[in-house]
Amino acid sequence: VEWIPWNDYEDILLDRCKEGIARITINRPTKRNAFRPQTVTELCDAFSFIRDTVDIGVVLLTGIGPAKDGRYAFCSGGDQSVRGDGGYIDEMGLARLNVLDLQRIIRSLPKVVIALVAGYAIGGGQVLHLLCDLSIAADNAIFGQTGPRVGSFDGGFGASFLARLVGQRKAREIWFLCRSYDATQALTMRLVNAVVPLDTLEQEGVIWAQEILQHSPTAIRCLKAAFNAETDGMSGIQELAGQATHLFYRTDEGKEGKKAFLEKRKPDFSSELWLP
Ligand code: 2NE
């Protein structure tokens, strides 16, 4: 596919192609693509932009690489050099953990997000790949948590959703020992969907995206909400219910309720059936 630059940011790149795929690339190679608050703000903005673009159905989330020293990274988590008391310090001097907002945006985006992981997916970067709907690893990918080593932890999705994916025993091992795992180990523990050679990573992501784009957008968005409903508590149920409301608004039955209210008359649902 041919990528077309889509919007200007400092810490990320946003491209799209005419086939309906967007690509977001974290662009902080000197920091192994660690995120500072600005990076996260830009990521949130890009995802919101994509949400409102009706001909985009799939997002590829990746990290720029290789860095000058030849090494690759998807994302190495929160930028420790701007970490202050209570969070990561933004341009206004405020401490933030705005990556939690980004996590929710990725979860609730009614489109498919595929992580393309080359090199390190560490700390908050490992959580980001975890929360994408699908994850494809290059054969050089390295996954791991460092929180307990660097004085941090993600006890939200980072712990609970990880445990759903890899099981309680493995999740506790990952967080308590802070070891690194290669792509094959990640595949074995079902942390990723597939492992491919580094030089075919993006191509593979595009193939997966193109297959998804052949299918019904409504079926996919409802399925995503249904998967989230099982794991995301009340907000997951809210998303699934929102999809039902979205569909209901498009029926004659739903439209009659609104029409009757605006015409200041009693609604007439007599033609609607109480279906089994
Ligand atoms: C990623 C890793 C394993 C790579 O190791 P290596 O040996 O390939 O590279 P190196 O030399 O460590 O890193 C290259 C440059 O990137 C910076 C380094 O400081 C270094 O800078 P220079 O010395 O060249 O100036 N860099 C790498 N990661 C960074 C980071 N996260 N923040 C700031 N600078 C970073 C190795 O670099 C590593 O272990 N990185 C740290 C991973 C980490 O602990 N991340 C934070 C976890 S906490 C978190 O993400 C979090 C959370 O737990 C809860 C909420 C929100 C966030």
Side-chain angles (χ1 to χ4, degrees):
V1 297
E2 190 190 330
W3 295 110
I4 307 155
W6 197 9
N7 207 355
D8 265 349
Y9 294 107
E10 195 178 332
D11 286 6
I12 66 170
L13 304 171
L14 175 63
D15 304 285
R16 62 157 300 164
C17 66
K18 64 177 173 22
E19 286 82 358
I21 310 169
R23 183 181 64 181
I24 299 177
T25 310
I26 304 173
N27 186 22
R28 303 192 76 217
T30 59
K31 301 247 178 190
R32 301 280 185 251
N33 294 326
F35 53 77
R36 56 179 174 170
Q38 182 182 338
T39 322
V40 175
T41 301
E42 291 180 4
L43 286 165
C44 292
D45 188 72
F47 274 107
S48 302
F49 198 46
I50 289 165
R51 186 182 183 108
D52 292 347
T53 305
V54 294
D55 68 332
I56 296 287
V58 178
V59 187
L60 305 179
L61 177 62
T62 192
I64 199 92
K68 277 198 179 131
D69 62 3
R71 303 186 99 151
Y72 285 79
F74 171 74
C75 175
S76 64
D79 185 333
Q80 299 304 298
S81 66
V82 298
R83 189 171 139 191
D85 295 342
Y88 297 83
I89 309 297
D90 71 9
E91 321 82 87
M92 296 187 298
L94 295 173
R96 293 184 184 278
L97 272 175
N98 57 346
V99 76
L100 303 183
D101 303 333
L102 174 64
Q103 293 178 357
R104 285 242 34 91
I105 288 172
I106 294 175
R107 293 296 283 177
S108 63
L109 186 80
K111 310 184 182 208
V112 178
V113 185
I114 306 178
L116 300 182
V117 182
Y120 296 107
I122 302 285
Q126 195 269 338
V127 178
L128 278 187
H129 111 92
L130 193 68
L131 292 178
C132 294
D133 300 296
L134 301 165
S135 180
I136 306 176
D139 48 15
N140 71 345
I142 298 170
F143 300 85
Q145 276 309 332
T146 59
R149 193 162 62 223
V150 299
S152 179
F153 63 92
D154 182 339
F157 283 112
S160 55
F161 191 62
L162 179 69
R164 290 289 180 109
L165 277 192
V166 305
Q168 283 280 346
R169 291 250 181 264
K170 201 71 191 176
R172 286 167 204 235
E173 174 193 312
I174 290 169
W175 274 103
F176 294 172
L177 277 70
C178 295
R179 286 183 181 168
S180 293
Y181 302 86
D182 66 22
T184 312
Q185 290 170 305
L187 186 63
T188 306
M189 67 173 103
R190 294 189 286 192
L191 202 54
V192 298
N193 295 89
V195 178
V196 298
L198 174 63
D199 60 355
T200 64
L201 180 62
E202 181 171 296
Q203 194 187 328
E204 190 71 18
V206 168
I207 291 170
W208 285 48
Q210 285 170 331
E211 277 185 47
I212 293 164
L213 290 167
Q214 308 285 311
H215 300 142
S216 150
T218 305
I220 300 279
R221 64 188 284 148
C222 287
L223 279 166
K224 175 161 176 173
F227 285 120
N228 289 358
E230 204 260 323
T231 52
D232 293 12
M234 192 82 77
S235 63
I237 294 169
Q238 179 212 38
E239 276 171 36
L240 183 58
Q243 297 304 329
T245 309
H246 179 71
L247 288 173
F248 182 52
Y249 274 16
R250 293 154 79 177
T251 64
D252 290 342
E253 188 179 350
K255 287 176 192 166
E256 166 58 12
K258 178 196 76 173
K259 212 160 161 267
F261 175 80
L262 293 176
E263 292 170 3
K264 299 190 185 305
R265 60 173 172 81
K266 279 182 78 172
D268 176 7
F269 295 120
S270 59
S271 60
E272 301 300 333
L273 304 175
W274 296 87
L275 295 168

